[in-house]
Amino acid sequence: MKQEKHKPLPSVIVQYSSSRFFRLVFGAVTVFLRPKLLTPEQYGIWTLFELIPRYASYLHLGTRDTMRFFIPFYLSRNDYDKTAMIKGSVFTSSLLINILLSCLLVILSLNKGFTIEVRAGFFVMSLIVILLFFMEYYIALLRAYEKFGLIAAST
């Protein structure tokens, strides 16, 4: 990644904190609106579907966290080959596991025993699992390169 001009630390901290705050506020608003808009059965199904991306975020098996610490370590030693190897192996291994889960969800969405809402939910969750993988991987990469301003803007 290109070296960019760093913003002052207090500015980055305020930007990052405010983005996290607004994310929490919008989350709190949806917590109160969702039960009002959904029937009890739909709310229960929604709650179950929410578990899929939450647990899918652990499918990297700790490799993203390791990447966050080893990339700055190897960059400080100017070992760019090792850095590229770490990024590639974390990306590939995590993507394969997420694709496997996504395929399982697509297979479940083809089951005729479920209602159309549940089948659509499984299919949409298969897409969300893949999209969240990319988002979480690149956010971990931005943290490794200490680009907190970009993280705050994306949040």
Side-chain angles (χ1 to χ4, degrees), residues 41-112:
E41 179 184 281
Q42 291 171 335
Y43 185 70
I45 291 171
W46 175 267
T47 304
L48 289 173
F49 278 132
E50 273 188 326
L51 292 175
I52 294 170
R54 285 184 196 216
Y55 284 116
S57 69
Y58 296 110
L59 288 177
H60 63 89
L61 304 175
T63 56
R64 280 197 313 251
D65 300 322
T66 303
M67 177 179 70
R68 257 185 71 205
F69 297 106
F70 277 120
I71 285 179
F73 175 76
Y74 286 113
L75 283 177
S76 69
R77 298 184 181 333
N78 295 324
D79 193 349
Y80 300 108
D81 293 335
K82 193 78 158 180
T83 303
M85 186 184 74
I86 290 170
K87 288 191 310 189
S89 63
V90 168
F91 182 84
T92 305
S93 62
S94 299
L95 180 62
L96 288 176
I97 295 171
N98 279 281
I99 286 175
L100 184 67
L101 175 63
S102 184
C103 289
L104 176 68
L105 292 170
V106 167
I107 290 169
L108 285 172
S109 75
L110 298 174
N111 187 345
K112 300 285 186 200

Side-chain angles (χ1 to χ4, degrees), residues 117-135:
E117 293 91 358
V118 173
R119 291 173 60 198
F122 278 126
F123 183 76
V124 169
M125 283 298 140
S126 72
L127 299 174
I128 288 174
V129 164
I130 297 297
L131 291 174
L132 282 176
F133 156 74
F134 283 108
M135 183 192 79

Side-chain angles (χ1 to χ4, degrees), residues 2-59:
K2 273 186 175 178
Q3 195 71 301
E4 66 181 40
K5 193 175 183 181
H6 290 286
K7 291 182 181 179
L9 185 61
S11 167
V12 172
I13 290 172
V14 167
Q15 185 181 13
Y16 188 71
S17 300
S18 64
S19 72
R20 302 274 302 174
F21 173 75
F22 284 120
R23 188 173 181 183
L24 286 172
V25 168
F26 289 133
V29 168
T30 59
V31 163
F32 291 110
L33 280 179
R34 193 174 296 128
K36 301 284 186 205
L37 298 174
L38 299 174
T39 66
E41 179 184 281
Q42 291 171 335
Y43 185 70
I45 291 171
W46 175 267
T47 304
L48 289 173
F49 278 132
E50 273 188 326
L51 292 175
I52 294 170
R54 285 184 196 216
Y55 284 116
S57 69
Y58 296 110
L59 288 177

